[in-house]
Amino acid sequence: MGGAMNAADDSPNGGDGALSGPMRILVPASLLVSFAANDGEELVTMSSMPSMVADVLSRLPAPLRSLAGSRLKTLTLSRRHVQVGVATMGVLFGVAVLDGVRTAGRSRFYQDAQRIFGLHAYGHMAAALLTRGYTPGVATSPTVVLPVWWWARSRLRRAGVPDRSSLPRAALVVGSWLVLAHTLGACAAAHHIRTDVAGARTRADDRTSAGRLQ
């Protein structure tokens, strides 16, 4: 019975209101616009500078830097790590968008994703203020993520869509997926390194063999 009630809650035909017309697609899809802009910025900056994370953390106030100690100097994210991590997060938000379209904006999953992604922009801006410099994602947070989130919220309210989002639930789901994204990214990076090392050894062996034949 509980499952039936949840399904009814997410149905665009039940409850108070639902997105309709072009807004049924445009409002949920706006989350992908935010994700593409914000994570695209992170992908470009962090892929081009593997030591970006260590650089940002090194600009933290002294009391916070002391918590991490010497580990700051070893914190790097390879290009492969970032690429896989961003792609993994893209899967989560892509599914959330599809669920938002399916339910005309009424899905708890979609609303949670839209809310947590909008709120995380404040984290980017706070990090930039705290480190007194650029941090990956801060450029598109106030220019894309926040305006898009505010627009989506206003459209949902205008359509009479009830707010079913839950910040604790959103943090749990997205936070868990973020851990998975970094885990997969680290595994992919390690595999890439092993492959490169093996390839380098093979090429070295081939050159040695060729030299002996000559």
Side-chain angles (χ1 to χ4, degrees):
M1 181 175 178
M5 290 178 64
N6 289 339
D9 284 345
D10 282 349
S11 169
N13 297 318
D16 299 328
L19 295 169
S20 60
M23 290 300 113
R24 177 166 183 161
I25 296 176
L26 293 177
V27 174
S30 69
L31 176 56
L32 275 187
V33 173
S34 289
F35 176 82
N38 195 247
D39 278 53
E41 179 191 350
E42 294 179 343
L43 182 61
V44 170
T45 55
M46 296 175 72
S47 293
S48 60
M49 291 184 62
S51 61
M52 173 69 76
V53 175
D55 176 64
V56 170
L57 294 178
S58 69
R59 289 187 268 116
L60 287 170
L64 294 178
R65 284 203 311 272
S66 64
L67 294 177
S70 60
R71 288 175 295 177
L72 282 176
K73 298 180 180 179
T74 63
L75 287 175
T76 60
L77 294 179
S78 70
R79 182 189 300 269
R80 184 58 56 89
H81 185 138
V82 175
Q83 290 172 339
V84 172
V86 169
T88 303
M89 295 306 297
V91 171
L92 177 71
F93 288 106
V95 172
V97 167
L98 290 176
D99 203 37
V101 173
R102 178 185 68 84
T103 61
R106 298 168 56 83
S107 161
R108 291 180 175 86
F109 178 36
Y110 157 68
Q111 290 187 14
D112 283 353
Q114 185 90 63
R115 182 179 180 184
I116 199 72
F117 199 80
L119 287 173
H120 104 287
Y122 292 113
H124 280 302
M125 293 187 290
L129 289 174
L130 193 61
T131 58
R132 292 170 293 179
Y134 175 80
T135 57
V138 71
T140 51
S141 288
T143 57
V144 179
V145 179
L146 286 178
V148 167
W149 178 41
W150 294 334
W151 175 80
R153 287 178 62 191
S154 69
R155 284 292 176 175
L156 289 168
R157 284 197 300 266
R158 185 178 302 179
V161 177
D163 184 358
R164 295 190 171 96
S165 65
S166 165
L167 188 55
R169 182 179 61 218
L172 177 62
V173 172
V174 178
S176 299
W177 198 264
L178 181 62
V179 171
L180 173 64
H182 277 293
T183 300
L184 293 178
C187 291
H191 176 72
H192 184 64
I193 291 173
R194 288 195 299 269
T195 302
D196 282 351
V197 170
R201 287 176 178 171
T202 300
R203 289 191 294 272
D205 291 343
D206 290 344
R207 286 194 296 269
T208 301
S209 298
R212 288 174 179 173
L213 290 175
Q214 292 176 356

